[in-house]
Amino acid sequence: MAVFDTMIFVQFFVGLFAAVNPIGIMPVFVTLTVHLDKQERNRTAYTAAIAVAIILIVSLLAGQMLLDLFSISLDSFRVAGGMLLLSIAFTMMNGKLGEGKQNKQEQSETISREQVGVVPLAMPLLAGPGAISSTIVYGSQYPDTWSTITLITTLVLFSAGIWGLFKVGPAVVKFLGQTGINVITRIMGLILGSLGIEFIASGMRALFPGLAT
């Protein structure tokens, strides 16, 4: 069993931040809530943060059970998850701000929804496939009680950070501008791509031990 330490905690948080890219999603949040007053916008930000926490914590706790249910090894899932992270990373490095996480049908449905905090903000824009797969990998790799508590704490703190960012979203978007948002998105994409390659490499070494020699 792998031993959980502070560096793993930091790696999980940074990888999650890169996968979710809340700064890159802020312009989408501002656009979706432009018709709301400040109190309603803050309530939407709170709803999105709570939904993200719930989705990722459930993924963390139920991830290994799902892998066992479909007889999928952690190493196979790590390789698949790494490929998914790489795919999202390439989209982000091209300056995309959520287009790859939300299809056209979901975008059109958003127009008719009054409550956008859960859909599409929390799912699929924030707690999308990349964040979920990354959470499942870490949860399955460090299944002991202390590690699980630490990971849940990380998810709660991360969700609180999303709430704080979205509360000041309009001001941040105005300050950074589209160019600043694109630069941050590309940097996050580079970090996410590196994490995806690390997932793939570690999974391949375990699946094919001969590659490590």
Side-chain angles (χ1 to χ4, degrees), residues 153-164:
T153 303
T154 305
L155 293 174
V156 171
L157 292 175
F158 179 76
S159 300
I162 290 178
W163 176 57

Side-chain angles (χ1 to χ4, degrees), residues 49-67:
I50 292 295
V52 168
I54 292 174
I55 292 169
L56 294 183
I57 289 174
V58 170
S59 300
L60 175 70
L61 298 177
Q64 185 60 56
M65 181 180 65
L66 290 175
L67 295 182

Side-chain angles (χ1 to χ4, degrees), residues 5-200:
D5 58 25
T6 304
M7 287 309 299
I8 298 299
F9 168 86
V10 174
Q11 185 186 51
F12 176 60
F13 186 91
V14 172
L16 197 61
F17 191 92
V20 174
N21 187 28
I23 296 178
I25 299 299
M26 274 199 290
V28 181
F29 169 77
V30 172
T31 301
L32 292 175
T33 59
V34 67
H35 62 288
L36 304 178
D37 59 32
K38 183 177 180 180
Q39 183 177 2
E40 291 174 330
R41 186 164 54 246
N42 290 342
R43 187 182 303 117
T44 300
Y46 178 77
T47 300
I50 292 295
V52 168
I54 292 174
I55 292 169
L56 294 183
I57 289 174
V58 170
S59 300
L60 175 70
L61 298 177
Q64 185 60 56
M65 181 180 65
L66 290 175
L67 295 182
D68 293 339
L69 179 65
F70 293 102
S71 300
I72 300 173
S73 70
L74 174 60
D75 297 310
S76 298
F77 189 83
R78 188 183 283 118
V79 172
M83 295 174 64
L84 176 61
L85 294 183
L86 271 180
S87 174
I88 297 173
F90 287 138
T91 301
M92 292 169 63
M93 283 187 281
N94 287 328
K96 304 299 183 180
L97 300 176
E99 292 90 334
K101 300 181 182 179
Q102 186 182 23
N103 59 40
K104 293 182 179 179
Q105 181 180 1
E106 290 168 337
Q107 291 173 351
S108 63
E109 289 177 352
T110 299
I111 301 176
S112 61
R113 297 180 188 272
E114 295 182 359
Q115 180 54 269
V116 298
V118 178
V119 178
L121 282 175
M123 173 70 79
L125 291 179
L126 292 170
I132 291 174
S133 61
S134 179
T135 300
I136 291 176
V137 167
Y138 278 94
S140 301
Q141 189 172 358
Y142 304 97
D144 60 281
T145 302
W146 173 248
S147 298
T148 301
I149 293 174
T150 307
L151 289 170
I152 291 176
T153 303
T154 305
L155 293 174
V156 171
L157 292 175
F158 179 76
S159 300
I162 290 178
W163 176 57
L165 283 175
F166 279 3
K167 283 190 66 176
V168 297
V172 173
V173 170
K174 183 178 180 180
F175 174 76
L176 292 176
Q178 191 62 55
T179 300
I181 294 292
N182 286 343
V183 169
I184 293 176
T185 297
R186 288 184 169 92
I187 294 174
M188 291 297 103
L190 185 61
I191 294 174
L192 185 62
S194 301
L195 182 63
I197 292 175
E198 187 65 32
F199 278 11
I200 293 174

